[in-house]
Amino acid sequence: MSEEKTLFQKIADKEIPSEEVYSDEDYYAFRDLNPGAPTHILVIPRKPIPKITDATEADAALLGRLFLVANKIAEAEGLTEKGFRYVINCGDDGEQTVYHLHLHLLGGRPLSWPPG
Ligand code: 5GP
């Protein structure tokens, strides 16, 4: 693993400011700088897994709990009843721009499908 911190590690470690939504020992969540919906939150494991496809069997529980943390945030944001969307972009065609695994939580308006 590289010694250089990822952008999102720097954000989770408060070296770069962000609007915190949730924090614990293993996860950090913050509002996206360029929101694509009224609520747009990024939920990250503190562990810098670059892409979802880099996760291993050892990450199974971490990935599972990522969704449970996100569910709690969705509930706290009042999104559970009307619904919302989780997105994980992967690689170039997925338009992933930050190579630290993150789950987008988008909600607060009807979301069209399929995405662009
Ligand atoms: P990706 O395309 O990699 O799935 O999504 C990266 C997301 O991170 C984008 O939605 C982008 O707006 C957001 N982002 C990039 N840099 C920053 C930053 O410095 N702060 C915050 N809060 N969001 C960022």
Side-chain angles (χ1 to χ4, degrees), residues 35-86:
T39 301
H40 188 172
I41 292 166
L42 303 173
V43 190
I44 66 164
R46 289 181 182 274
K47 179 178 176 180
I49 299 167
K51 292 187 291 182
I52 185 65
T53 47
D54 294 316
T56 69
E57 199 61 40
D59 299 313
L62 188 73
L63 294 184
R65 282 169 37 235
L66 176 69
F67 284 95
L68 298 180
V69 165
N71 283 352
K72 260 199 260 184
I73 295 168
E75 178 69 29
E77 293 283 321
L79 297 174
T80 306
E81 195 182 332
K82 280 200 150 184
F84 56 86
R85 185 171 294 160
Y86 290 145

Side-chain angles (χ1 to χ4, degrees), residues 3-22:
E3 294 295 311
E4 175 78 13
K5 282 191 185 181
T6 68
L7 170 64
F8 285 176
Q9 272 179 300
K10 289 178 188 165
I11 286 176
D13 290 345
K14 302 284 172 83
E15 291 167 19
I16 292 177
S18 68
E19 202 178 327
E20 178 184 316
V21 173
Y22 179 89

Side-chain angles (χ1 to χ4, degrees), residues 7-8 11 16-19 30-36 40 42 87-90 94-100 102 104:
L7 170 64
F8 285 176
I11 286 176
I16 292 177
S18 68
E19 202 178 327
F30 55 105
R31 296 196 190 274
D32 197 291
L33 204 55
N34 294 300
H40 188 172
L42 303 173
V87 173
I88 294 176
N89 295 324
C90 182
E95 291 221 9
Q96 184 175 2
T97 58
V98 179
Y99 281 79
H100 180 131
H102 50 282
H104 293 257

